[in-house]
Amino acid sequence: MLTSMKPMYELAEEMEFALGAFNVNSFQQVKAAIRIAEIYNSPLVIQGAEAANGFIGGIKDYRNSTLDEKKRGMELLANAVRKYGENSLIPIALHLDHGLSFEVCKAAVDSGYTSIMIDGSSKSFEENIEITREVTEYAHKYGVSVEGELGVLKGVEDNVVSEESTYTHPLDAVKFVKETKVDALAISYGTSHGANKGKNVVLREPIVTAIKECFLHENLHASIVSHGSSNVEEHIVKEINELGGELKNAGGIPIKQLKTAIKAGVRKINVDTDIRLYTTRNLLRLFKNDPDILKDEAINEIYNFMKEKPSAFDPRYYLQNLIPSLTSFEEPTAQMAKVDKAVEDAAMEIIGKLIVEFGSIEKAKYINYRTLEELAKEYK
C-alpha cells in the first residue's frame, strides 16, 4: 500500500518507535526492502537521494546529473516501488532524500514520490523557511508529506558536504515548523554523514528532548528525524578488510545511542552507509567463494575495480557498468542472478536487523492508512 509518511509519523508518535528510512540505488534493493518489511510486518520508508536518482536514471557521473536525468531515475524508482509494493499489505512511502531545490522536489512529486525532503540547511534561516514553505505548499496539494532540515551535519553524503556540525536550536525549530508546516524536521544533534563519523561519537539527546517539549508546548505535530545515523558495525568493516577492502578509521553511531534518541523523541532514522557496507561485503564474499563468476566480463570488471580501489565501498562506484541490469525487470543471466542475490541479501540483512532495533516490527497493522487523495483533503 503506497502512502505518504503522515500516517506513519502519527503511529510512530503514538507508539514511540522510529521508522527506518533506507536509501536504495537499484531495483534489487527495492524488492529486498519490501520483502523483509513484509516478513516483519513493518511500515517501510524507501529513500532515493538526488544523486541516486541520477544513477538509476543511467548516469555514471551521477553526482552531476541534470534535472531531466534525475527525473528519469525518479520515474524508474517509482515504477519499481509500485511494481513490488502497490499490492503489498504493508504501508510503503517513497521518500526523496536531500532534495536541494524546489525544482527537484517538484519533479519527485510529479514522478510518483509520496514523501519529499527539502534540504535548505545550507541557506540562511529565512531563506530556508522560504524554500521549505514553497515546497510544502506544493507537495501538500497532492497529499505528499514534507521533511525539512534545520542545523548542519558534518560529513559527506553525495552532494551534501560540511566540515563541521551546527546543532539545531529548539526555539528556531519551533519558528521553522510554525512557518513552513512541515510534517517532519531533520535536526543536528551529533550524528554525521558517511562511514567516518569518528570514534566514541556521543549524541546529544537533550537537544531532541528540548525540541520535542517545545513542539508539545506549542501544539506542533512535526516529527523529529535523525540523519547520518548508520551504525558502521565493526564486524562488517573487519570482514570487508579481510576480503581485500581497505576501510580505515570507519565508525558509526552505536545502536544503543540511537535507541536512547528514539526514547527522547526521534521518529525517523536514515540509513545509507550501512547498506553500502553490507553490499560491498556480500559482493567481495561472492567473488571469493565463487571465482568462476569472474568469467563473466561485466562481473570481472567489478572485481577488478574493487581490487584496484579497495577503499571504495559505495556500490555506485563499482557497479556502474551494471546500471541497465540494476534498473530492469528483465530476467538476469545465471551469473548476474548471483550478483542480484548478493545485493538483495545485503539489503534484507541490514534492513531486517534495524526494523527490529528501531521498534517498527509488527507495527504495520496499526497504521491508519489513507491514500494521497485523502491526505490532500486533510492538508487542505
Side-chain angles (χ1 to χ4, degrees):
M1 303 183 293
L2 302 186
T3 187
S4 84
M5 291 200 62
K6 188 172 188 291
M8 298 186 189
Y9 285 134
E10 291 168 352
L11 185 68
E13 296 290 356
E14 178 186 344
M15 301 188 76
E16 298 184 344
F17 66 89
L19 299 151
F22 305 105
N23 287 63
V24 301
N25 299 284
S26 74
F27 289 3
Q28 291 79 6
Q29 291 175 329
V30 171
K31 182 180 178 182
I34 293 173
R35 180 65 184 131
I36 194 65
E38 288 175 333
I39 290 172
Y40 284 120
N41 196 24
S42 169
L44 176 65
V45 183
I46 293 174
Q47 296 193 151
E50 275 202 36
N53 287 317
F55 178 84
I56 292 171
I59 306 305
K60 292 184 177 182
D61 185 16
Y62 53 88
R63 293 179 187 273
N64 296 308
S65 50
T66 66
L67 179 60
D68 285 342
E69 291 165 345
K70 291 173 184 174
K71 187 170 184 180
R72 182 164 66 247
M74 291 174 186
E75 291 169 348
L76 287 170
L77 184 55
N79 287 342
V81 172
R82 280 191 289 267
K83 176 179 174 62
Y84 296 121
E86 199 160 39
N87 296 318
S88 176
L89 297 180
I90 63 167
I92 301 168
L94 175 57
H95 180 76
L96 173 68
D97 189 26
H98 287 290
L100 297 177
S101 68
F102 174 83
E103 290 74 20
V104 167
C105 292
K106 180 180 183 299
V109 174
D110 297 346
S111 297
Y113 275 57
T114 64
S115 183
I116 55 174
M117 177 201 182
I118 172 63
D119 181 359
S121 61
S122 63
K123 303 178 183 297
S124 70
F125 183 64
E126 293 303 329
E127 289 174 326
N128 191 356
I129 286 177
E130 183 179 352
I131 189 172
T132 304
R133 183 194 296 121
E134 183 182 15
V135 168
T136 303
E137 288 175 354
Y138 182 82
H140 280 180
K141 289 190 297 184
Y142 299 94
V144 172
S145 53
V146 179
E147 173 187 330
E149 180 164 359
L150 193 58
V152 179
L153 268 67
K154 181 180 178 181
V156 179
E157 182 180 29
D158 290 340
N159 296 331
V160 180
V161 181
S162 178
E163 294 292 333
E164 298 295 335
S165 295
T166 303
Y167 292 128
T168 306
H169 194 294
L171 296 183
D172 286 342
V174 168
K175 178 177 174 63
F176 186 87
V177 171
K178 278 185 176 181
E179 296 198 20
T180 62
K181 304 294 190 296
V182 290
D183 301 274
L185 181 66
I187 67 167
S188 175
Y189 71 113
T191 59
S192 60
H193 291 130
N196 303 104
K197 304 179 192 298
K199 300 294 183 181
N200 304 315
V201 174
V202 178
L203 300 185
R204 298 188 61 182
E205 290 91 359
I207 294 176
V208 179
T209 302
I211 293 173
K212 182 77 173 177
E213 289 299 321
C214 287
F215 283 179
L216 289 172
H217 183 270
E218 297 298 318
N219 196 30
L220 298 174
H221 300 289
S223 292
I224 297 174
V225 176
S226 180
H227 282 227
S229 302
S230 283
N231 190 214
V232 191
E233 297 162 287
E234 288 184 12
H235 77 92
I236 291 294
V237 174
K238 182 180 178 182
E239 285 184 72
I240 289 173
N241 289 339
E242 289 174 346
L243 290 165
E246 288 184 9
L247 300 185
K248 300 177 181 179
N249 303 315
I253 311 298
I255 289 292
K256 184 177 180 180
Q257 289 197 46
L258 290 175
K259 286 186 172 182
T260 302
I262 293 170
K263 289 181 181 178
V266 166
R267 296 293 171 250
K268 173 173 173 277
I269 299 177
N270 285 17
V271 178
D272 188 353
T273 298
D274 280 339
I275 298 173
R276 299 179 188 183
L277 292 172
Y278 271 70
T279 302
T280 298
R281 186 276 311 269
N282 274 20
L283 289 172
L284 289 172
R285 181 190 288 171
L286 173 65
F287 300 152
K288 179 182 178 180
N289 295 338
D290 188 3
D292 285 346
I293 198 173
L294 301 179
K295 294 176 182 177
D296 182 291
E297 185 177 343
I299 296 174
N300 191 54
E301 283 185 33
I302 300 169
Y303 170 77
N304 288 330
F305 184 97
M306 297 178 79
K307 189 174 180 180
E308 292 170 5
K309 299 184 179 180
S311 63
F313 66 90
D314 185 341
R316 292 173 301 181
Y317 288 143
Y318 53 76
L319 295 179
Q320 290 187 0
N321 64 324
L322 298 185
I323 291 177
S325 63
L326 294 173
T327 57
S328 170
F329 297 118
E330 295 180 7
E331 193 70 23
T333 64
Q335 300 292 51
M336 275 306 306
K338 294 179 182 180
V339 173
D340 288 355
K341 186 176 187 302
V343 173
E344 289 180 25
D345 287 352
M348 289 185 71
E349 183 180 355
I350 182 59
I351 292 173
K353 182 183 298 186
L354 294 177
I355 282 173
V356 175
E357 295 285 10
F358 296 164
S360 66
I361 184 171
E362 295 296 336
K363 298 297 195 303
K365 58 189 174 184
Y366 300 113
I367 297 283
N368 179 19
Y369 172 80
R370 285 99 82 199
T371 65
L372 294 184
E373 291 76 14
E374 290 170 329
L375 290 165
K377 292 178 181 178
E378 290 181 22
Y379 283 127
K380 187 177 180 180

